[in-house]
Amino acid sequence: MQYRLQTPLTPQALEPLRAGDTVLLSGVVYTARDAAHARMAQLLDEGKPLPFPLSGAAVYYVGPTPERPGCAIGAAGPTTSGRMDAFTPRLLDMGLACMIGKGKRSDAVKASVVKNGAVYLAAIGGAGALMAGSVKSCEVIAWPDLGCEAVRRLEVEEMPLTVLLDAHGGDLYESGPAAYLAAGRDAL
Amino acid sequence: MSVRELDTALIADTVEALCVEANTTLPADVKAALDHAQAAEPWPLAKETLGLLQKNLCVAAEKELPICQDTGMACVFVELGQEVHLNGSLEDAVNEGVRRGYEKGYLRKSITADPLQRVNTGDNTPAFLTVHLVQGNGCRITVAPKGAGSENMSRLAMLKPADGVQGVKDFVLETVRQAGANPCPPIVLGIGIGGSFDKCAALAKRALLRPLDVPNADPYYAALEKELLDAINATGFGPQGFGGATTCLGVCIEQAPTHVACLPVAVNMSCHVTRRAWREV
């Protein structure tokens, strides 16, 4: 199935999604990766507000290349999500609805996705030039000193994504290869 | 053979150009392997995903964008003839080339000055420079930008000699399974076997410089490359780990003499964006 989603995201909008479905996501997506997650955790420890509202938000684990003049963004494919695992359940509990990245997540993240009715989506890893096409604007909103790791507010239009973890415990990294291998034994 | 004077300014200019070229144009052999895999892939979602990777290469060329946003550590390999005299610092020239290439090419600056205190150097220097002294008066420079998604999935083991070739195969497969989708499959593997702890890792890195359509010169290792490639593709991980027949585009092994008590094996993991560009100066 393919779904069109618009941010901010509600648990109701995410409920039908199943691992392996495709999504065209439009609206606002915030970027944050290693260093930004560490700083956000520090802000939360100090009881201070985050650079963007978490409720219903989508976070993209990405550090784009610098944009050429006249372009919204440079190459912008996903980074490995597992490095953010230690920070993630806390953010999901606070309302983060959607994560975009690539690669396996920890059992704690999987459980938190189910508990909070959230979703983890794949962008195509290594396809930075292609992913840039769905970004319409990009603005650094926090920590410019982090360079490519600064927090950016992206406006995206029909960003092509695939559901990796759904709110019902589905995991494409398990079901996808299993389905291929099962089919291969029979027919391919 | 007479000594050749080589201006290091020429080295800086060459490294600058190679940084941009390597990050925007995939080597012909890697592109051919991707095209072949896409044509042969029987699983629909995997075929579609490989098609998106092909489209990404077209978009990168059209819009002068890097193929991948992780424009990597600037791994620079210099094969320097011992009859060459440089008029300045090779290291400074290479770093100058990286600095200019990453700035002018709108490439990402991904290097942190210190591994624990983590402040970005801001210009993607220092380069990760390897120099090989060779005979003659030539100078061949290769720039092979390396992304961290795959680099982080690399592993090294000091096996026992009794583990033998089966131990090597098991370690390689275990490494691929542990990596899963993190290194952006379809992957490319550089494998070092033998040497010492440090030389084995260097062999694995150097193996990634060999074109995928050039098998190991030793038929024993060429057969092992083929066997490992088939075994990795039989895992069913597929492109991006979504399932399919194409998990790996190529396996390159470099072997070296080792101690009677040692069997080191290193796997340097790379991705479908295995980048390298070279030039003689």
Side-chain angles (χ1 to χ4, degrees), chain B residues 8 11-12 15 88-100 125 127 129:
Chain B
T8 49
I11 292 176
V15 169
S89 160
L90 174 65
E91 200 173 314
D92 288 352
V94 167
N95 282 328
E96 177 61 18
V98 168
R99 190 174 292 120
R100 293 202 311 243
T125 65
L129 175 62

Short mmCIF file of all heavy atoms in Angstrom, two decimals, chain B residues 8 11-12 15 88-100 125 127 129:
data_model
loop_
_atom_site.label_atom_id
_atom_site.label_comp_id
_atom_site.label_asym_id
_atom_site.label_seq_id
_atom_site.Cartn_x
_atom_site.Cartn_y
_atom_site.Cartn_z
N THR B 8 54.64 20.37 -5.93
CA THR B 8 53.54 19.92 -5.06
C THR B 8 52.24 20.69 -5.34
O THR B 8 51.16 20.23 -4.99
CB THR B 8 53.89 20.04 -3.57
OG1 THR B 8 54.41 21.33 -3.31
CG2 THR B 8 54.90 18.99 -3.16
N ILE B 11 50.16 18.53 -7.30
CA ILE B 11 49.53 17.49 -6.47
C ILE B 11 48.27 18.04 -5.80
O ILE B 11 47.21 17.40 -5.80
CB ILE B 11 50.54 16.93 -5.44
CG1 ILE B 11 51.63 16.14 -6.18
CG2 ILE B 11 49.85 16.07 -4.39
CD1 ILE B 11 52.74 15.62 -5.31
N ALA B 12 48.37 19.26 -5.28
CA ALA B 12 47.20 19.88 -4.64
C ALA B 12 46.05 20.05 -5.64
O ALA B 12 44.90 19.72 -5.35
CB ALA B 12 47.59 21.22 -4.03
N VAL B 15 44.52 16.58 -6.43
CA VAL B 15 43.68 16.06 -5.33
C VAL B 15 42.36 16.83 -5.29
O VAL B 15 41.29 16.23 -5.12
CB VAL B 15 44.43 16.18 -3.97
CG1 VAL B 15 43.49 15.92 -2.81
CG2 VAL B 15 45.60 15.20 -3.93
N GLY B 88 58.15 20.39 -2.10
CA GLY B 88 57.49 20.88 -0.88
C GLY B 88 56.93 19.71 -0.10
O GLY B 88 57.29 18.56 -0.36
N SER B 89 56.03 19.99 0.82
CA SER B 89 55.47 18.94 1.66
C SER B 89 54.32 18.22 0.95
O SER B 89 53.33 18.86 0.56
CB SER B 89 54.96 19.55 2.98
OG SER B 89 54.02 18.68 3.58
N LEU B 90 54.45 16.91 0.81
CA LEU B 90 53.38 16.11 0.18
C LEU B 90 52.11 16.19 1.03
O LEU B 90 51.01 16.39 0.51
CB LEU B 90 53.86 14.65 0.06
CG LEU B 90 52.81 13.66 -0.45
CD1 LEU B 90 52.42 13.99 -1.89
CD2 LEU B 90 53.32 12.23 -0.36
N GLU B 91 52.27 16.06 2.33
CA GLU B 91 51.11 16.06 3.22
C GLU B 91 50.36 17.39 3.14
O GLU B 91 49.13 17.42 3.05
CB GLU B 91 51.61 15.81 4.65
CG GLU B 91 50.54 15.32 5.57
CD GLU B 91 51.12 14.91 6.93
OE1 GLU B 91 52.15 14.22 6.96
OE2 GLU B 91 50.55 15.33 7.95
N ASP B 92 51.10 18.49 3.14
CA ASP B 92 50.46 19.81 3.04
C ASP B 92 49.72 19.96 1.72
O ASP B 92 48.62 20.52 1.67
CB ASP B 92 51.50 20.93 3.17
CG ASP B 92 52.04 21.05 4.60
OD1 ASP B 92 51.49 20.38 5.50
OD2 ASP B 92 53.01 21.81 4.80
N ALA B 93 50.34 19.46 0.65
CA ALA B 93 49.72 19.60 -0.68
C ALA B 93 48.42 18.79 -0.75
O ALA B 93 47.42 19.27 -1.28
CB ALA B 93 50.70 19.13 -1.76
N VAL B 94 48.45 17.58 -0.21
CA VAL B 94 47.25 16.74 -0.23
C VAL B 94 46.14 17.39 0.60
O VAL B 94 44.98 17.47 0.17
CB VAL B 94 47.59 15.32 0.28
CG1 VAL B 94 46.32 14.53 0.56
CG2 VAL B 94 48.46 14.59 -0.73
N ASN B 95 46.48 17.89 1.77
CA ASN B 95 45.47 18.55 2.61
C ASN B 95 44.92 19.81 1.93
O ASN B 95 43.72 20.08 2.02
CB ASN B 95 46.06 18.90 3.98
CG ASN B 95 46.12 17.67 4.88
OD1 ASN B 95 45.27 16.79 4.79
ND2 ASN B 95 47.11 17.63 5.74
N GLU B 96 45.79 20.55 1.25
CA GLU B 96 45.33 21.74 0.53
C GLU B 96 44.34 21.34 -0.57
O GLU B 96 43.31 22.00 -0.76
CB GLU B 96 46.55 22.48 -0.07
CG GLU B 96 46.22 23.71 -0.90
CD GLU B 96 45.50 24.81 -0.14
OE1 GLU B 96 45.54 24.79 1.11
OE2 GLU B 96 44.87 25.66 -0.79
N GLY B 97 44.64 20.25 -1.27
CA GLY B 97 43.73 19.77 -2.31
C GLY B 97 42.39 19.35 -1.75
O GLY B 97 41.34 19.67 -2.31
N VAL B 98 42.41 18.66 -0.62
CA VAL B 98 41.16 18.24 0.02
C VAL B 98 40.36 19.47 0.47
O VAL B 98 39.15 19.56 0.23
CB VAL B 98 41.46 17.31 1.22
CG1 VAL B 98 40.22 17.10 2.08
CG2 VAL B 98 42.00 15.98 0.73
N ARG B 99 41.05 20.42 1.09
CA ARG B 99 40.38 21.64 1.58
C ARG B 99 39.66 22.34 0.44
O ARG B 99 38.49 22.69 0.54
CB ARG B 99 41.46 22.56 2.18
CG ARG B 99 40.96 23.75 2.95
CD ARG B 99 42.12 24.49 3.60
NE ARG B 99 42.76 23.71 4.65
CZ ARG B 99 44.05 23.33 4.66
NH1 ARG B 99 44.86 23.67 3.67
NH2 ARG B 99 44.53 22.62 5.65
N ARG B 100 40.37 22.53 -0.68
CA ARG B 100 39.79 23.26 -1.82
C ARG B 100 38.70 22.43 -2.50
O ARG B 100 37.64 22.95 -2.87
CB ARG B 100 40.89 23.62 -2.82
CG ARG B 100 41.89 24.64 -2.28
CD ARG B 100 42.62 25.38 -3.40
NE ARG B 100 43.16 24.50 -4.42
CZ ARG B 100 44.45 24.35 -4.70
NH1 ARG B 100 45.37 25.02 -4.02
NH2 ARG B 100 44.84 23.55 -5.67
N THR B 125 39.68 18.32 6.33
CA THR B 125 41.04 17.84 6.56
C THR B 125 41.11 17.36 8.01
O THR B 125 40.27 17.73 8.82
CB THR B 125 42.08 18.95 6.35
OG1 THR B 125 41.89 19.96 7.33
CG2 THR B 125 41.99 19.53 4.94
N ALA B 127 43.41 14.84 5.43
CA ALA B 127 43.21 13.70 4.55
C ALA B 127 43.76 12.46 5.25
O ALA B 127 44.60 12.56 6.15
CB ALA B 127 43.96 13.92 3.25
N LEU B 129 45.98 9.87 4.49
CA LEU B 129 46.98 9.70 3.44
C LEU B 129 47.78 8.41 3.61
O LEU B 129 48.30 8.13 4.69
CB LEU B 129 47.92 10.92 3.45
CG LEU B 129 49.12 10.90 2.51
CD1 LEU B 129 48.68 10.84 1.04
CD2 LEU B 129 50.00 12.14 2.74
#
